[in-house]
Amino acid sequence: MNRTTMLLATAMLVSAACGKDDPIADPITTVPSVTSIGPKSAATNVIRNATVTATFSETMALATINGTNFTLKAGATAVPAAVSYAGTTATLTPNAILAANTVYTATVSTGVRDLQGDSLASAKVWTFKTVATPVTGPAVVNLGTAINYVILAKSAITTTGTTAVTGDLGLSPAAATYITGFALSAPPTTYSTSARVTGKVYAANYAVPTPANLTTAVLDMQTAYVAAAGRAIPDFVNLGAGNIQGMTLVPGLYKWSTGVLIPSAVTLSGGANDVWIFQIAQGLTVSNAAIITLTGGAQAKNVFWQVAGAATLGTTSQFKGIILCKTNIAFNTGSTIVGRALAQTAVTLNATTVTNP
């Protein structure tokens, strides 16, 4: 055997040892598949801030999970969205709230590949339909006799700075001594007055029938809070994960299992009879200089913020709506509200402007 033959034989032995010509040694190709989706195929009454998800049978190549290969459409119109991937699940998050009573089509294309470069055997396509939201939103929350007050509290109403209130104040069961900073007129009868209030100031220890009227108003406030919190079948759930910065919100019932933050701006867009109810399981925080804007004829008297925690309105913030708060409402320096502050503990103000809606 010459040298060339020996080298060839050696190469063949090495190749065989490495399994290169052995079909048994070839890796087995597993075609990836979509094992679960959300919302479910043909689902109806899907909330309008839903995300769309696709879970795969194996880990996929991150670079292939993108807005080209994972899409959402309403008819032929693409829905702008962000696509992310974690674990084995891809998530498509629309940039805006989905339209009501609309059929959407989600597609995961064969452009999606696993780590070995294998693609889906075929595209995964499914449809779902969003909830049909009434144009005017939910029915208004009945405030009962609490509607007679722009500020109503149980334990205290205090102010510092040059506060200006247009509308009546009420405090019960605490006495008038817990209304501080208003320089109330003395002696009171059924009500007192203040240079800071364009209206009347009522307390539980004033003359009849004020105590009974305030007891009824406080009970009505609490009933309104429970009614607002109990509204069922929300149109939007956990919108923005609690941060609703820059959003334009249509009439409807909104529900959060967290607190809600407004860093600088929110717009409520609707007509004069449209209603918004915000169910907030924790606190409401309105940052300094944040502004709530009403457009299209929307009215502050039809906007209800049901807050289980504390409500805090930042310096020079501009708020709209009726706050039904389980605990306290705090207005920081220069803040304004067109609406009502109805608190089951205290309301504190600091050079705050309060205007009857």
Side-chain angles (χ1 to χ4, degrees):
M1 180 180 297
N2 59 35
R3 179 177 177 80
T4 300
T5 303
M6 290 178 63
L7 291 173
L8 180 60
T10 301
M12 292 177 64
L13 288 171
V14 171
S15 177
C18 294
K20 291 185 178 179
D21 294 321
D22 184 356
I24 296 177
D26 286 343
I28 298 175
T29 299
T30 302
V31 176
S33 62
V34 176
T35 57
S36 66
I37 56 174
K40 294 181 178 180
S41 182
T44 58
N45 293 322
V46 174
I47 57 175
R48 292 170 58 194
N49 66 317
T51 56
V52 183
T53 61
T55 299
F56 300 94
S57 58
E58 58 180 294
T59 303
M60 308 300 287
L62 177 60
T64 68
I65 308 294
N66 53 48
T68 298
N69 295 330
F70 190 7
T71 61
L72 184 67
K73 292 183 177 181
T77 304
V79 175
V83 174
S84 60
Y85 181 65
T88 57
T89 299
T91 301
L92 182 149
T93 304
N95 293 348
I97 295 169
L98 300 177
N101 199 34
T102 300
V103 174
Y104 286 88
T105 301
T107 303
V108 179
S109 77
T110 55
V112 173
R113 298 179 179 275
D114 64 14
L115 298 179
Q116 288 72 43
D118 301 314
S119 63
L120 301 178
S122 60
K124 178 67 177 179
V125 181
W126 71 101
T127 63
F128 60 88
K129 188 175 183 179
T130 52
V131 65
T133 303
V135 173
T136 58
V140 297
V141 177
N142 183 1
L143 298 178
T145 61
I147 201 170
N148 296 326
Y149 306 88
V150 290
I151 299 176
L152 181 62
K154 295 174 68 174
S155 61
I157 301 174
T158 65
T159 188
T160 55
T162 311
T163 286
V165 178
T166 301
D168 292 346
L169 278 65
L171 180 67
S172 178
T177 51
Y178 290 91
I179 301 175
T180 62
F182 287 92
L184 298 180
S185 61
T189 53
T190 57
Y191 66 89
S192 59
T193 60
S194 167
R196 302 193 187 287
V197 180
T198 304
K200 299 175 181 178
V201 180
Y202 297 90
N205 61 324
Y206 286 178
V208 174
T210 296
N213 289 344
L214 284 173
T215 297
T216 300
V218 168
L219 289 174
D220 287 347
M221 170 179 70
Q222 294 173 170
T223 298
Y225 174 91
V226 172
R231 293 292 180 92
I233 313 177
D235 301 298
F236 310 99
V237 178
N238 293 325
L239 185 66
N243 186 335
I244 55 175
Q245 168 59 27
M247 295 185 181
T248 296
L249 306 181
V250 298
L253 177 61
Y254 296 73
K255 183 180 181 68
W256 287 272
S257 59
T258 63
V260 167
L261 171 65
I262 303 175
S264 67
V266 164
T267 299
L268 308 184
S269 178
N273 297 316
D274 294 347
V275 176
W276 291 256
I277 298 177
F278 302 104
Q279 298 173 326
I280 304 171
Q282 298 176 21
L284 169 64
T285 302
V286 182
S287 298
N288 295 343
I291 299 174
I292 295 177
T293 301
L294 306 182
T295 63
Q299 299 190 74
K301 69 177 184 178
N302 294 328
V303 180
F304 300 88
W305 303 83
Q306 175 262 312
V307 185
T312 304
L313 285 75
T315 301
T316 69
S317 62
Q318 299 176 33
F319 192 83
K320 311 293 193 306
I322 297 162
I323 304 175
L324 288 160
C325 190
K326 183 72 171 179
T327 61
N328 64 289
I329 303 172
F331 294 88
N332 288 324
T333 308
S335 56
T336 67
I337 176 174
V338 178
R340 306 183 192 280
L342 309 179
Q344 293 185 38
T345 58
V347 175
T348 61
L349 309 103
N350 188 340
T352 301
T353 300
V354 182
T355 304
N356 202 328

